Amino acid sequence: MIVRQFTCRVVLNTHLRKLRGIQDMARPSSDVAAFREIFSKANSIAVITGAGVSAESGVPTFRGAGGYWRKWNAQDLATPEAFSLNPSRVWEFYHYRREVMLTKDPNPAHLALAECEERLGKQGRRVTVITQNIDELHRRAGSKNLLEIHGSLFKTRCMTCGHEAADHRSPICAALKGKGAPEPETHDAQIPVEQLPRCEQRGCNGLLRPAVVWFGETLDSDILSRAEQVLDSCDLCLVVGTSSVVYPAAMFAPQVAARGVPVAEFNMENTPATERFKHVLFTVTQAHTAVILFSRLSDDFL
């Protein structure tokens, strides 16, 4: 299914150029037959995904030159210090992101990974997605073995009692309704802190924050431990749509490759980690092709 699509797109490079006008789509660094053999024998497959997987769903990344919300660099809002200084502004920013995500749907890449997990599961094989994304699109696509190492836009954590919970309400609180517009000329709503999302645990009423990993924070130790267990036991690793520059996730695939496990990278371009993979099979170098690889599923490979 998912792997057949990968391999077919590499083998049929000439046909792709005719059909899609794609040039230099992929650079195989090992033969496809070997990959098919590796995949057919793999019992535990780790899939590491990043923002590139969600790009075809129209999810803004807030990175690079366009990474601004209003006049603020989005990364400057994703810090504990920013929340402490102005929780109203940070909640407006995350309210905007939540509302945007409620209009987006999983794309063929998310759906193919979920289907791959389901089909291989019936054969007693395991696929685990380790994602850096906080958009929950893998979850909505149906992935069950899922580790969201950077948290979720749709979870909150209490600053007082520490309780964490899923919350998909729109808006998450009445004071945020209609707020969060991203245009530079928009003024901060300056919502009083007592009107921002509050903890509903009995006797608490503490201020809630988005349950995401901000810059300067460490990953949840339990989730990180589970990710390490998956990576230590996998016999095949796929890297999809991640730039491999955000640590510690940037070290996941190189560590797998270092113990001789095949790693296949599917990205829009080479990444800083590409040359560290002894078993890189091929790299996707065209943005929309990365999703095409997942989109046309074939039953006969699995």
Side-chain angles (χ1 to χ4, degrees), residues 46 48 130 219 224-225 227-234 236-237 239 244 246-263 273-279:
I48 302 169
I130 302 171
L219 301 188
L224 183 58
S225 176
E228 290 174 343
Q229 290 174 8
V230 170
L231 296 167
D232 286 344
S233 62
C234 72
L236 176 61
C237 179
V239 180
S244 296
V246 178
Y247 285 81
M251 287 304 300
F252 287 170
Q255 288 173 354
V256 172
R259 61 183 181 88
V261 173
V263 175
T274 298
E275 297 307 317
R276 305 179 69 174
F277 300 155
K278 295 179 181 179
H279 301 276

Side-chain angles (χ1 to χ4, degrees), residues 60-123:
T61 63
F62 291 105
R63 292 182 180 176
Y68 280 81
W69 174 82
R70 297 181 183 167
K71 61 181 180 180
W72 307 99
N73 184 316
Q75 294 188 12
D76 291 338
L77 295 175
T79 69
E81 293 79 14
F83 190 74
S84 176
L85 181 66
N86 195 327
S88 173
R89 178 186 296 150
V90 172
W91 259 119
E92 275 201 90
F93 171 57
Y94 279 93
H95 169 67
Y96 167 73
R97 297 183 68 179
R98 286 166 56 96
E99 294 299 298
V100 167
M101 281 312 310
L102 290 174
T103 70
K104 307 300 181 184
D105 294 310
N107 64 52
H110 301 106
L111 297 171
L113 285 171
E115 185 173 343
C116 183
E117 176 191 324
E118 181 181 7
R119 292 172 61 84
L120 288 182
K122 294 176 180 178
Q123 302 173 18

Side-chain angles (χ1 to χ4, degrees), residues 166-218:
D167 193 326
H168 293 81
R169 289 177 295 177
S170 173
I172 190 171
C173 70
L176 283 166
K177 184 175 182 179
K179 304 296 191 297
E183 290 77 19
E185 65 274 11
T186 305
H187 295 292
D188 287 353
Q190 298 183 351
I191 300 170
V193 68
E194 61 271 13
Q195 295 180 26
L196 292 173
R198 312 298 297 192
C199 182
E200 296 181 359
Q201 291 296 293
R202 180 175 303 215
C204 184
N205 198 41
L207 176 64
L208 296 179
R209 56 160 281 181
V212 298
V213 179
W214 282 330
F215 291 97
E217 295 183 326
T218 58

